[in-house]
Amino acid sequence: MLGLMQGWPLLCQRVVDHAATFHGGRKVITRSVEGPIVETNYADIRARALKVAQRLDKDGIRLGDRVATLAWNTWRHLECWYGIMGIGAIYHTVNPRLFPEQIVWIVNHAEDRMMFVDLTFVPLLEKIADKLPTIERYVILTDAAHMPQTSLKNAVPYEDWIGEVDGDFAWKEFDENTAAGMCYTSGTTGHPKGVLYSHRSNVLHSMIAAMPDAMAASSRDVILPVVPMFHANCWGLALTAPMVGATVVMPGAKMDGASIYELLTQYKVSFTAAVPTVWLMLLQDLEKTGGKLPDLERVVIGGSACPRAMTKTFQDVYGVQVIHAWGMTEMSPLGSLCTMKPEYADITGDAKLDIEMKQGHPPFGVEMKITDDSDKALPWDGKVFGRLKVRGPAVAKSYYKGEGGEAFDKDGWFDTGDVATMDQYGYMQITDRSKDVIKSGGEWISSIDLENLAVGHPKVAEAAVIGVAHPKWDERPLLVIVLKKGETATKDEILGFMQGKCAKWWMPDDVAFVDEIPHTATGKIQKLTLRKQFEGYRLPTGEAAE
Ligand code: ADP
């Protein structure tokens, strides 16, 4: 027997409808790419998103067409997302930090028909536009007064373009499983892979993100999404904020410490989110200027592990709660957040920091398990680590055009490629990426743990640990080190420092000193390149395999 409740498809445009109806006057404040601060509100955002939808429709954009955006977090970018989704087309956020060849590859793979572009990126696009044959028109996110001379095909200023329609338009109707948005993973291994969000997954994910043990977002919040809309679906904030009717402050192109600080204080931001690098810049700036953060209540930090010192400084010096979060593009992206359950409510000091270093527990809508290589579930004791697998309504079930299928199993579990422990209360902690874990004599050694140990040495600037082939143990760890400027050190000095701080059989078999460690476009250590660099490396403990 079916329930007798209304079929109300979970469509993203309903989020902006709700915001405009019940929180219409709530501000959306942007540091515009042109310079000045621009204030608008949800009622206006919706009205203009309808114009975007109507104008796209007029240009022949139809259900399922991909429309790219190469843009910062601004009110116009938000309007574009809703306008695109509102006719059943798909916003495809392109990450400008990728190498130009990767952008070309992604846009061609997605077969984008149009592109919304911020002024900043016009010169970059002009260099590659002849390799983007599927794009029929570039809409430059500015007005006629700021429109540059450009060779981009059919280029038009956004304000003129939407000015050609009256906004008397209704959202299209379609199934909630229709694709809404698209985001490519940065492709640290092989080509980038397309993740295709649906209206239903986006709406559910935003509701999940707003829950009290997740981001606890409400209409009383002033939210500053520093995390770009072009990275991992903006961690859901482009939908969560309007869904709860929060005030939004958009940073535009400026994400340096001083610019972020100005927005945080000027607009009394209560909640913000970004990767650790952004907060490093802010904290350095605050240390110099002596600035305070009286209004900021909580900050979500994820994308890579949040350093202990960062959590401590935010909480002890500035009175800001840190919520360490883990997720990935394939998960819309939230997977877990580290908020305190009653079991940990009373702990303080270092013991509390130990918990806060974990990536946290999954909200409703994310199933999680750790397994060994043969898919056997491993115990939740906070020590044993295994492959981290997830399932849920906002988790990808395959990649665009069916690539990378090996990550998805027949029961719907997605292998995240991360290696983690789970503790007795369901708190997950990342110990490595599965491709980077060192498999020594059938046991696993965490490269991240060893790297963290090594960077604790006062002369070490950066450290990376990779597995090198070994005739007896399959693989043994090699520690690669960049020393701080002007420093010298010996292998024994470094290893002596690590001795006794990890299991004896985890100790690296050798140390290599280099001038530089390779990084990806999103700032992660490029272990693949490093492994290639050290292919055939002869460890002192054994003959290197070819
Ligand atoms: P990109 O490579 O473009 O940054 P993602 O944002 O999807 O793509 O990256 C997801 C990966 O980032 C995760 O699989 C994990 O390895 C890493 N990650 C995300 N959050 C954390 C965190 N809090 N701690 C450690 N690693 C993290």
Side-chain angles (χ1 to χ4, degrees):
M1 190 185 289
L2 292 179
L4 290 172
M5 307 309 281
Q6 298 186 2
W8 194 85
L10 301 177
L11 297 175
C12 295
Q13 54 268 38
R14 295 196 147 151
V15 173
V16 79
D17 284 350
H18 172 81
T21 310
F22 294 101
H23 306 274
R26 198 94 57 242
K27 284 183 182 167
V28 175
I29 302 157
T30 303
R31 186 194 298 282
S32 67
V33 175
E34 293 90 341
I37 299 284
V38 173
E39 290 194 9
T40 170
N41 60 37
Y42 285 130
D44 258 6
I45 295 269
R46 177 180 182 271
R48 285 165 47 100
L50 273 166
K51 286 190 173 188
V52 172
Q54 186 179 14
R55 191 64 187 79
L56 284 169
D57 190 58
K58 203 171 152 201
D59 267 357
I61 301 293
R62 297 285 173 259
L63 190 82
D65 283 343
R66 277 78 63 208
V67 177
T69 65
L70 190 64
W72 303 107
N73 291 9
T74 69
W75 86 103
R76 288 188 181 121
H77 197 176
L78 204 58
E79 291 165 4
C80 289
W81 272 34
Y82 283 99
I84 295 166
M85 292 191 285
I87 56 165
I90 301 162
Y91 64 84
H92 168 207
T93 52
V94 181
N95 183 345
R97 294 190 184 129
L98 295 175
F99 303 113
E101 316 84 73
Q102 281 177 310
I103 294 180
V104 168
W105 191 91
I106 284 172
V107 170
N108 284 319
H109 191 262
E111 299 168 88
D112 297 321
R113 287 190 58 193
M114 273 180 66
M115 190 183 275
F116 291 98
V117 189
D118 261 331
L119 286 169
T120 329
F121 307 120
V122 169
L124 160 78
L125 272 174
E126 283 173 340
K127 289 200 194 97
I128 56 174
D130 61 337
K131 299 188 191 111
L132 307 175
T134 62
I135 306 270
E136 296 158 31
R137 148 162 280 178
Y138 294 86
V139 179
I140 316 299
L141 292 164
T142 192
D143 54 18
H146 294 88
M147 184 70 180
Q149 273 290 345
T150 174
S151 57
L152 292 176
K153 202 189 297 173
N154 294 322
V156 56
Y158 175 80
E159 296 296 339
D160 285 6
W161 181 75
I162 59 170
E164 287 171 23
V165 290
D166 59 9
D168 185 13
F169 191 72
W171 304 124
K172 304 260 172 181
E173 285 182 26
F174 37 80
D175 187 273
E176 64 178 17
N177 290 303
T178 303
M182 185 181 219
C183 190
Y184 281 74
T185 61
S186 65
T188 12
T189 52
H191 276 310
K193 295 183 199 76
V195 177
L196 203 52
Y197 307 114
S198 67
H199 280 259
R200 175 187 151 83
S201 71
N202 263 351
V203 171
L204 287 174
H205 179 265
S206 308
M207 293 171 89
I208 291 167
M211 290 199 292
D213 261 320
M215 293 180 175
S218 81
S219 59
R220 294 167 299 287
D221 270 315
V222 180
I223 302 183
L224 172 66
V226 185
V227 53
M229 291 170 76
F230 58 72
H231 189 205
N233 211 21
C234 198
W235 297 3
L237 288 170
L239 283 118
T240 303
M243 183 179 273
V244 301
T247 301
V248 174
V249 183
M250 293 293 219
K254 290 199 167 168
M255 280 177 277
D256 58 284
S259 303
I260 294 297
Y261 179 71
E262 190 182 74
L263 294 180
L264 287 173
T265 45
Q266 182 112 13
Y267 299 103
K268 297 189 183 323
V269 170
S270 61
F271 170 68
T272 180
V275 295
T277 340
V278 167
W279 302 129
L280 207 62
M281 291 192 290
L282 175 75
L283 292 177
Q284 276 169 359
D285 189 67
L286 292 183
E287 207 179 293
K288 266 201 305 226
T289 59
K292 298 273 175 293
L293 300 168
D295 303 295
L296 190 61
E297 293 165 14
R298 49 203 199 287
V299 51
V300 170
I301 305 183
S304 54
C306 176
R308 197 177 177 95
M310 184 173 283
T311 303
K312 206 168 151 56
T313 309
F314 261 121
Q315 301 194 150
D316 296 355
V317 180
Y318 299 104
V320 178
Q321 182 197 355
V322 169
I323 304 172
H324 191 191
W326 165 85
M328 50 199 312
T329 304
E330 289 89 335
M331 300 180 73
S332 298
L334 292 180
S336 65
L337 299 104
C338 197
T339 50
M340 290 298 165
K341 295 191 188 183
E343 289 86 346
Y344 287 137
D346 297 327
I347 55 167
T348 53
D350 272 348
K352 180 163 174 270
L353 266 178
D354 285 346
I355 303 303
E356 285 163 343
M357 287 302 93
K358 296 181 188 244
Q359 278 76 4
H361 52 98
F364 172 76
V366 178
E367 283 184 78
M368 202 175 258
K369 66 176 179 180
I370 48 172
T371 75
D372 65 12
D373 272 344
S374 58
D375 200 32
K376 190 167 103 342
L378 294 170
W380 291 15
D381 61 3
K383 293 192 187 79
V384 172
F385 50 83
R387 288 172 175 278
L388 180 63
K389 297 182 180 171
V390 293
R391 230 168 34 171
V395 176
K397 68 175 175 186
S398 68
Y399 290 110
Y400 186 54
K401 298 184 175 168
E403 284 145 14
E406 61 280 0
F408 306 92
D409 76 15
K410 62 176 186 349
D411 300 319
W413 290 94
F414 167 63
D415 188 335
T416 62
D418 284 327
V419 174
T421 61
M422 300 285 301
D423 77 8
Q424 57 177 327
Y425 302 125
Y427 282 68
M428 182 275 287
Q429 184 159 24
I430 301 282
T431 55
D432 222 329
R433 298 278 305 160
S434 57
K435 290 183 184 69
D436 301 337
V437 88
I438 293 128
K439 297 189 174 166
S440 175
E443 300 289 338
W444 290 7
I445 298 174
S446 157
S447 65
I448 292 183
D449 279 4
L450 291 177
E451 286 157 11
N452 286 342
L453 255 185
V455 290
H457 191 289
K459 291 183 180 172
V460 173
E462 195 174 19
V465 173
I466 50 168
V468 172
H470 189 284
K472 180 166 175 205
W473 302 108
D474 289 339
E475 272 184 355
R476 288 296 302 160
L478 167 70
L479 172 59
V480 183
I481 277 187
V482 180
L483 288 172
K484 286 186 184 158
K485 236 188 155 79
E487 294 287 1
T488 52
T490 62
K491 164 183 164 182
D492 290 344
E493 202 177 332
I494 304 289
L495 293 181
F497 171 82
M498 295 170 73
Q499 200 98 44
K501 298 190 179 99
C502 66
K504 214 163 148 214
W505 64 274
W506 277 36
M507 283 294 288
D509 283 26
D510 205 2
V511 182
F513 294 95
V514 297
D515 292 335
E516 204 183 343
I517 286 174
H519 289 97
T520 66
T522 48
K524 297 178 185 177
I525 292 179
Q526 211 162 26
K527 295 250 171 119
L528 198 71
T529 313
L530 204 59
R531 277 195 289 269
K532 277 208 186 105
Q533 205 174 314
F534 284 93
E535 216 164 58
Y537 187 83
R538 199 174 276 263
L539 288 168
T541 50
E543 296 292 301
E546 289 310 311

